[in-house]
Amino acid sequence: MERLRRRVRELRSDGYAVYLAMRDPRVPWFAKALLAAVALYAVSPIDLIPDFIPVLGLLDDLVIIPLGIALAARLIPRDIMEEHRRSARELFVSRARARGCDGGTDGGQG
């Protein structure tokens, strides 16, 4: 269960890092195009599998969107992505400290 919580925190942080990277002019256009497509899919009323189909209808969103973000993160040059991951971690740590909790981070390690 702890592993799942850690992975959810990483995905949240990576999601924000990808958002920051998308605004970075050093990121290749094809990574930005993929991120735009994933964002459009997320808000689009059209799904590959309609949501009214039990389990599978929602499962496609839970699979396609994180996979699209992960693929886009791999298309972004490693040094740029790490720079934005650090920025995202710093933001989440500072917000957690402002709320008076540790935010479940490992202190920027890992």
Side-chain angles (χ1 to χ4, degrees):
M1 190 60 140
E2 182 57 36
R3 183 175 159 195
L4 178 63
R5 285 188 187 127
R6 183 172 37 92
R7 186 64 189 138
V8 167
R9 282 192 300 266
E10 289 171 2
L11 281 174
R12 188 175 111 197
S13 181
D14 266 4
Y16 189 69
V18 167
Y19 166 76
L20 293 174
M22 192 170 162
R23 300 174 55 145
D24 191 322
R26 299 173 293 170
V27 172
W29 68 269
F30 46 88
K32 291 181 180 184
L34 177 61
L35 287 171
V38 169
L40 285 173
Y41 180 79
V43 298
S44 171
I46 300 170
D47 283 337
L48 292 177
I49 302 172
D51 287 342
F52 64 81
I53 297 175
V55 182
L56 292 179
L58 297 175
L59 193 59
D60 74 326
D61 293 338
L62 292 175
V63 172
I64 291 173
I65 294 169
L67 283 178
I69 291 172
L71 178 59
R74 289 182 185 265
L75 293 174
I76 297 169
R78 183 171 290 170
D79 57 330
I80 295 172
M81 194 61 200
E82 282 304 315
E83 175 185 328
H84 293 302
R85 280 185 177 128
R86 275 193 304 276
S87 297
R89 267 194 305 264
E90 289 170 6
L91 176 75
F92 287 124
V93 167
S94 66
R95 285 185 178 175
R97 286 185 182 145
R99 288 191 316 262
C101 62
D102 71 355
T105 64
D106 59 359
Q109 301 170 359

